[in-house]
Amino acid sequence: MTKFAHVLLKRVAVVLVAAAVAGCTAAPIGVGIDDPIEQQNRDTHAANRALDKALVRPASNGYGSAVPSPVRTGVSNFASNLNLPGQVLNNLLQFRIENAGHNTFRFLMNTTFGFGGLLDVATEAGLENRRTDFGETLHVWGAPEGAYLELPLIGPSTERHAAGRVVDILMNPLNFAVEGPLRSAGTGASVAARFGDRYRYSDLVDSVLYESEDSYAQARLLYLQNRRFKLSGGAQPDYIDPYEAVYGNE
């Protein structure tokens, strides 16, 4: 295990313990920048940027050029729909019952009338995707934001959000209810959707990664501003994490 991985696992464990003892009072929204391992984060950022330049950006451009837009949209819709059961579970853990019902109806409508989620008929019916994740659940439970982290492949995060990502992967009900070809199709759709996002937001991602004077500081600032805005009750942020657009969760 690398030193970075050991530090990351230790910090994630601390966040989960903090959530367990914090009670049910939401944590204060973070302020400022807490980046105690900045040099390690910068090294990871440089590796992520190199990977994007060598592989992710060319692959996403190829995908976007070769696959028609309606097909890319259908793949993205399908992948997003598969994430909804996990979001419903997070809604319940956050005691946001109305959101849980909203996302449940969205999942049922798109699965039933949207051909398994290929068509987003729910949004047209007024059931927009109220995205959430276990990082937000930890915030609601009172776990502090923690230090800033840049994760391999995933990119900008915090200790709390990193812990949430791990739990989201483990607790999505579809990971246990779906097996065989459908699970493989879901995984493939998720990967393709991320490449589609990278292609769709290419100008924005490229401006952050390749046109900023300090791409690390720029990505860190934009991530923290928009993550905090979302947790404070704002709408889904306009900023697209340069790496989450490819590897992140809906």
Side-chain angles (χ1 to χ4, degrees):
M1 181 181 293
T2 65
K3 181 179 179 181
F4 180 84
H6 178 76
V7 171
L8 174 60
L9 289 175
K10 182 177 180 180
R11 289 177 178 273
V12 166
V14 169
V15 171
L16 292 174
V17 171
V21 301
C24 295
T25 302
I29 301 298
V31 294
I33 296 175
D34 180 13
D35 193 356
I37 55 171
E38 181 173 344
Q39 188 55 56
Q40 293 182 50
N41 283 331
R42 283 185 175 273
D43 291 343
T44 303
H45 176 79
N48 285 337
R49 189 171 179 269
L51 178 64
D52 180 83
K53 186 174 184 179
L55 176 62
V56 176
R57 182 168 63 170
S60 67
N61 287 338
Y63 174 75
S65 300
V67 179
S69 178
V71 177
R72 297 198 309 269
T73 299
V75 170
S76 180
N77 289 342
F78 178 71
S80 178
N81 195 57
L82 290 179
N83 284 322
L84 276 171
Q87 294 184 41
V88 170
L89 183 54
N90 274 304
N91 292 144
L92 294 173
L93 292 173
Q94 295 162 16
F95 309 107
R96 292 168 175 169
I97 307 305
E98 196 273 334
N99 282 353
H102 177 102
N103 280 336
T104 297
F105 281 119
R106 174 181 172 82
F107 176 73
L108 293 175
M109 179 173 288
N110 278 345
T111 301
T112 303
F113 301 107
F115 300 99
L118 291 174
L119 300 179
D120 185 6
V121 296
T123 294
E124 297 179 5
L127 294 171
E128 78 286 353
N129 191 351
R130 296 183 181 177
R131 294 183 177 89
T132 188
D133 51 56
F134 196 74
E136 184 171 6
T137 299
L138 291 173
H139 162 72
V140 171
W141 288 356
E145 178 181 83
Y148 177 79
L149 296 174
E150 171 114 12
L151 304 177
L153 301 181
I154 296 174
S157 190
T158 60
E159 291 175 337
R160 180 176 62 203
H161 197 184
R165 290 178 188 274
V166 174
V167 177
D168 277 325
I169 293 172
L170 296 176
M171 77 174 192
N172 190 327
L174 289 183
N175 289 336
F176 307 98
V178 176
E179 295 183 357
L182 184 57
R183 175 178 289 186
S184 298
T187 301
S190 295
V191 174
R194 302 291 74 74
F195 281 107
D197 288 342
R198 177 62 176 88
Y199 176 78
R200 179 183 177 188
Y201 298 104
S202 178
D203 290 343
L204 173 59
V205 175
D206 288 348
S207 70
V208 174
L209 291 183
Y210 306 113
E211 298 172 16
S212 302
E213 182 176 350
D214 185 344
S215 62
Y216 171 77
Q218 181 76 353
R220 179 181 62 187
L221 177 62
L222 290 172
Y223 166 80
L224 290 174
Q225 285 180 336
N226 286 277
R227 181 67 178 174
R228 290 165 178 174
F229 177 70
K230 179 180 183 296
L231 295 179
S232 69
Q236 183 72 8
D238 293 330
Y239 169 65
I240 301 298
D241 180 333
Y243 304 107
E244 190 169 40
V246 179
Y247 298 102
N249 297 319
E250 288 286 345

